[in-house]
Amino acid sequence: MCIRDSAGSGSIGFFYYSGHGAARPEDGANYLIPVDVQSLQLQSAWYDAISLDAVVHEVARRASKETALFFVFDACRTELHLPIKSISKGFEDIRGQSGSFIAFSTSPGQTASDVGDEGGPYARALSAELRNPNQDYLTVFKRVKEAVYSSTRFTQHPWEHDGIIGTVVLNANRLAPNLSNSPQLAAPALQSGATISPPPPPPPPRPRSSEASLPAYHRLQDIRDAREEQQDGNRTIINEPGRFIIRDPSSRSYVRHNDLALLQIGARDVRTETVGGDKRTVVIRPDNSEIISVAAPDGRLIRRIGRGSDGREIIIIDNTYRDPRSVNGMFIDIPPPVVRIPYDRYIVDYDSAPSSLVYDTLLASSVVPIDRRYSMDEIRYSRNVSKMMPSVDINTINLTPGSWEFASDQEAKLKPIAYGLKQALQRNPREVFLIEGHTDDSGSEIDNLSLSDRRAEALAAFLIQQLRVPTENLVSQGYGSQYLKEQNGGLGRTNQRFTIRRITPLLNGGSTPLPPAPPGTSPPR
C-alpha cells in the first residue's frame, strides 16, 4: 500500500475503496479484500488483504490537524462468500476521529450493488456530485444518498459517521475525479487546494411580512376574478390560485391547498423527485436541517419527516392508515364526543385565559378515548374527529374584511400562543397542531371557505416567520361558516376566529406509537 506525501494545512484527504470488505473472525478487524482473492486459499486471503484500520491510521498520520479526511467504502457489508467457503461477515462499524468523515455505500448487513457499465449506483451518484463545484460535503453526501435511494428503490441505504467540525467545500473550482470508472481498489489520495471554511453564520432573520412565501394575492376580489369552475362527474370543482374547492353531491363542500407553501418558508433550497410514483420534496433550511414531504400521485400527504443537521430523522406525520369505513379516506361518520370537562377548559378563550391554561390546553389529552389512528384528511374533514381534542379559540386578530394580511401590531397578541407552541415542541418535537380558520356567514359559501383557509395559512406563516414556531409541526385548514360559534345570524367577531388544537393523539391513535420509518428514512442506530 502506497500513500502519497503528507498534505498541508487547508487540504482534504479523500480515500475511496470499491471491492470486497470483511471483518476477520478472530478479532473483528476490518480488511479490504481485493476481488481476485477468490482464487486464493483462506489463509492467503488475509495475507493479501489490507487492514482498514491501518489505512485510516496512515492517512490520518500524514495529514495535518487542519486536514479534513474522507473515507468512502463502496463495498458489501454482508457475509463475503467465496468458492472455498464464507470467510467472514462484512465490515464491522468503524468510527473516525474528530476531523474525519466515514461513508459506507450501504448499511450493515446489506449488499451494495455494482450493476452498470459505470460502476454501481453509489459510485455513479458520488462521481456526479463531486463534479459539481463548490458544494459543502453534507450536501454532497445527502444528495448521493437520495440518488441511491431513488435508483435502488430504497433497497440500498448508505451510512455515514461524521466527525468533521465546521464547513468543508468539496471540488472548490476544481475538476473532481471520475469514481465510476475507478479500479476495484483505489489508492488513497490527498488533495490540496481545498476550501475549509469556519462554521456558517446564523441564518438571516425571516421576512417580516407573512406574504413572503405565499401567493401574491391579497384580496378576496382578486381570487374571485381568477376562479374557474368545472364538473367532475356529479362533483363541482372550483379552481382558484393556490387551492381548489369541491362541492360533492351531498352538498358538502371543502377546500384543499398544498401544504408545501408553509414548509418552504425560509428555505435555502427545495428539491423534488419522483420515487415509485410518489413525489418526494426535500426542503433544506439554512442550518442544513431538512423537512421531507412524501405525497401520493394524487397529492395526498403520505409522510412528513424532519431530518436534523446531524442526519437523524423523526417521523412527524404518518398518513398511511386508511380505515375501510371512511368515505374516500376523508369522511368518517362517528358520534360527537361526550365532553365531561368544563366547557371553558374544552374550548379555551385565548383573550381571557392565562398563559398557563393556554399551554396546558396545547398539551391536553383527548376528551374521550381514541380507539384507532386517524388520517390527516379524516381529522381535517370529519368534524367529530377533531372535536375529540380540546382547543384554543382566538377571535381578537384584526383583519381587513376580505383580506388575510396580518399587520405587524398583531405580534404582541400572538406571543403567548407562540410561546406555548414552542414549549410544547421542546417537550416533544413530534407534536402536530392544526390551525383552523372560521368566518361568519355574511359571504357566499365559496368565498368563506377560501377566505378562512387563506387566513389559517397566513396565521401559520405569521407564527413561523415572526415568532419562530417550527413550520414542520403546523398544518392549517379553513372551514368557512360551517361551524358557527354563535348562531344569532352568524355575524360578528366571535365567529370570525382561529382555532388551534393538538392533533398528535389522533394521528397516532392515542398512546399508539408511530410505526417504524420506511427503509431509508429511519434514524441511525
Side-chain angles (χ1 to χ4, degrees):
M1 178 177 67
C2 176
I3 295 179
R4 294 180 184 176
D5 294 337
S6 61
S9 176
S11 61
I12 281 180
F14 199 100
F15 179 92
Y16 173 85
Y17 171 80
S18 177
H20 292 314
R24 190 163 61 181
E26 296 93 306
D27 55 9
N30 293 302
Y31 283 83
L32 311 181
I33 311 293
V35 291
D36 59 357
V37 75
Q38 296 178 3
S39 63
L40 304 175
Q41 296 298 317
L42 178 60
Q43 194 61 36
S44 299
W46 296 112
Y47 290 153
D48 293 327
I50 298 174
S51 168
L52 186 150
D53 292 335
V55 171
V56 172
H57 174 76
E58 185 65 15
V59 173
R61 186 181 68 82
R62 291 175 178 266
S64 69
K65 291 182 178 180
E66 291 78 21
T67 299
L69 302 178
F70 291 83
F71 300 91
V72 181
F73 301 103
D74 191 0
C76 293
R77 302 183 72 185
T78 56
E79 282 194 6
L80 175 61
H81 292 279
L82 302 179
I84 43 178
K85 65 177 181 177
S86 173
I87 62 171
S88 169
K89 62 180 180 178
F91 279 148
E92 296 281 0
D93 267 352
I94 62 172
R95 296 181 183 269
Q97 59 190 6
S98 176
S100 65
F101 182 92
I102 298 177
F104 295 99
S105 61
T106 191
S107 298
Q110 291 189 331
T111 300
S113 172
D114 59 0
V115 176
D117 296 334
E118 298 181 352
Y122 192 89
R124 291 194 297 272
L126 182 58
S127 179
E129 288 301 325
L130 288 178
R131 288 180 174 273
N132 293 326
N134 301 319
Q135 291 194 98
D136 68 89
Y137 76 100
L138 289 173
T139 299
V140 168
F141 284 95
K142 284 181 181 179
R143 290 182 175 176
V144 168
K145 184 183 293 187
E146 290 164 3
V148 173
Y149 287 163
S150 178
S151 62
T152 66
R153 292 184 176 271
F154 293 99
T155 59
Q156 182 172 328
H157 312 136
W159 199 260
E160 290 125 16
H161 295 304
D162 185 5
I164 289 179
I165 301 173
T167 299
V168 178
V169 177
L170 299 177
N171 191 19
N173 296 317
R174 295 167 61 90
L175 181 64
N178 185 351
L179 297 180
S180 60
N181 293 318
S182 61
Q184 288 291 330
L185 180 57
L190 292 175
Q191 300 176 342
S192 62
T195 301
I196 302 179
S197 58
R206 290 171 173 160
R208 298 298 292 177
S209 169
S210 62
E211 307 155 20
S213 299
L214 302 178
Y217 293 90
H218 311 303
R219 300 279 179 175
L220 196 56
Q221 184 58 51
D222 301 330
I223 301 299
R224 291 194 194 105
D225 296 340
R227 282 178 184 154
E228 295 181 356
E229 185 173 316
Q230 66 185 67
Q231 291 298 127
D232 178 26
N234 53 7
R235 300 189 308 169
T236 301
I237 300 178
I238 301 166
N239 289 287
E240 61 178 43
R243 21 186 66 66
F244 58 89
I245 298 169
I246 298 175
R247 184 187 294 123
D248 66 20
S250 65
S251 298
R252 178 166 39 195
S253 299
Y254 57 94
V255 59
R256 303 199 73 165
H257 65 265
N258 191 336
D259 290 317
L260 291 177
L262 282 181
L263 296 183
Q264 295 176 15
I265 291 176
R268 176 170 61 83
D269 190 17
V270 179
R271 299 197 306 270
T272 61
E273 62 180 354
T274 301
V275 180
D278 295 335
K279 184 177 180 181
R280 187 178 173 96
T281 302
V282 181
V283 179
I284 306 171
R285 295 185 286 199
D287 63 354
N288 286 324
S289 63
E290 298 177 353
I291 308 168
I292 304 165
S293 178
V294 183
D298 62 0
R300 175 179 57 85
L301 176 67
I302 298 176
R303 282 186 180 88
R304 183 182 294 178
I305 302 165
R307 178 188 290 163
S309 55
D310 60 357
R312 293 189 175 274
E313 299 172 347
I314 59 171
I315 296 179
I316 299 170
I317 297 175
D318 185 284
N319 199 34
T320 56
Y321 180 77
R322 284 292 179 272
D323 191 294
R325 297 173 294 173
S326 65
V327 180
N328 297 325
M330 298 174 63
F331 305 109
I332 186 77
D333 187 15
I334 60 174
V338 178
V339 180
R340 294 187 170 90
I341 63 175
Y343 184 79
D344 61 357
R345 295 296 185 268
Y346 174 55
I347 300 178
V348 173
D349 185 352
Y350 181 68
D351 279 344
S352 58
S355 298
S356 58
L357 179 56
V358 171
Y359 175 70
D360 290 344
T361 306
L362 293 175
L363 288 177
S365 301
S366 60
V367 296
V368 295
I370 299 174
D371 60 350
R372 70 166 177 90
R373 292 167 56 197
Y374 290 92
S375 71
M376 179 61 72
D377 284 340
E378 287 174 331
I379 297 169
R380 274 176 155 153
Y381 303 116
S382 300
R383 191 57 173 172
N384 288 341
V385 173
S386 62
K387 286 173 67 176
M388 287 191 265
M389 300 302 300
S391 61
V392 177
D393 267 11
I394 307 172
N395 56 16
T396 57
I397 302 300
N398 297 321
L399 296 173
T400 303
S403 172
W404 46 92
E405 292 181 292
F406 276 70
S408 59
D409 61 0
Q410 305 300 302
E411 183 172 333
K413 294 181 181 179
L414 292 170
K415 277 185 177 179
I417 192 72
Y419 177 79
L421 290 169
K422 290 189 286 188
Q423 289 293 104
L425 292 172
Q426 285 183 3
R427 179 176 176 268
N428 179 11
R430 287 184 170 90
E431 295 285 6
V432 182
F433 296 93
L434 173 63
I435 298 178
E436 303 174 4
H438 301 272
T439 67
D440 59 28
D441 62 357
S442 61
S444 71
E445 178 189 38
I446 301 305
D447 279 354
N448 288 339
L449 279 171
S450 177
L451 181 60
S452 63
D453 198 56
R454 293 175 187 278
R455 284 179 169 176
E457 185 180 52
L459 174 57
F462 193 92
L463 291 170
I464 293 164
Q465 293 174 315
Q466 312 293 85
L467 298 168
R468 307 296 189 266
V469 176
T471 179
E472 62 268 31
N473 302 95
L474 302 180
V475 293
S476 64
Q477 183 63 41
Y479 297 98
S481 56
Q482 294 175 350
Y483 307 113
L484 297 175
K485 196 172 182 179
E486 290 184 353
Q487 301 296 329
N488 54 348
L491 303 178
R493 178 172 287 184
T494 300
N495 287 319
Q496 297 183 28
R497 69 194 190 280
F498 298 95
T499 299
I500 300 180
R501 68 179 83 235
R502 174 182 177 235
I503 61 172
T504 321
L506 301 174
L507 290 167
N508 298 345
S511 59
T512 304
L514 282 170
T521 59
S522 59
R525 289 179 172 81

